[in-house]
Amino acid sequence: MPKVVVACGSGVATSQVVADKVRKMLAARGVDADVVAVEVADLPKALEDADAYVSVVKSEGEDYDVPVFNGVAFLTGMNVESELSRLILALGK
């Protein structure tokens, strides 16, 4: 099962909300994925076995070994369909 990591500053409120939305939107499209919310400090460890990263916070100059998606789109609904489609493609679905 693919793993999607969602991260914000504390890993509590915002990332949990976005992770829940991502989980529901993927499920509605028949994509089964393990969507986890973490705090930014735990990001390197969480990304070790991840297939995608949904970023709620701006990470300047960071380079990740997985595709990165705009978490604000999932939070606000702006451009969410575009980000969701990109995420689904990245997960190989």
Side-chain angles (χ1 to χ4, degrees):
M1 176 183 316
K3 178 182 174 184
V4 178
V5 174
V6 180
C8 72
S10 67
V12 180
T14 308
S15 61
Q16 292 288 350
V17 169
V18 172
D20 189 50
K21 286 184 179 184
V22 168
R23 191 177 300 109
K24 287 177 181 176
M25 294 177 92
L26 289 173
R29 285 157 180 82
V31 178
D32 195 21
D34 181 21
V35 183
V36 297
V38 301
E39 65 179 285
V40 171
D42 296 332
L43 192 56
K45 179 79 173 146
L47 289 178
E48 287 178 0
D49 60 345
D51 298 287
Y53 168 41
V54 177
S55 175
V56 181
V57 295
K58 183 84 171 149
S59 301
E60 304 263 343
E62 292 291 333
D63 189 25
Y64 303 104
D65 291 334
V66 298
V68 179
F69 301 89
N70 181 356
V72 176
F74 292 98
L75 189 61
T76 65
M78 294 180 64
N79 298 318
V80 69
E81 288 301 322
S82 173
E83 285 301 288
L84 180 62
S85 294
R86 289 183 55 237
L87 177 57
I88 291 170
L89 283 173
L91 297 177
K93 304 297 177 183

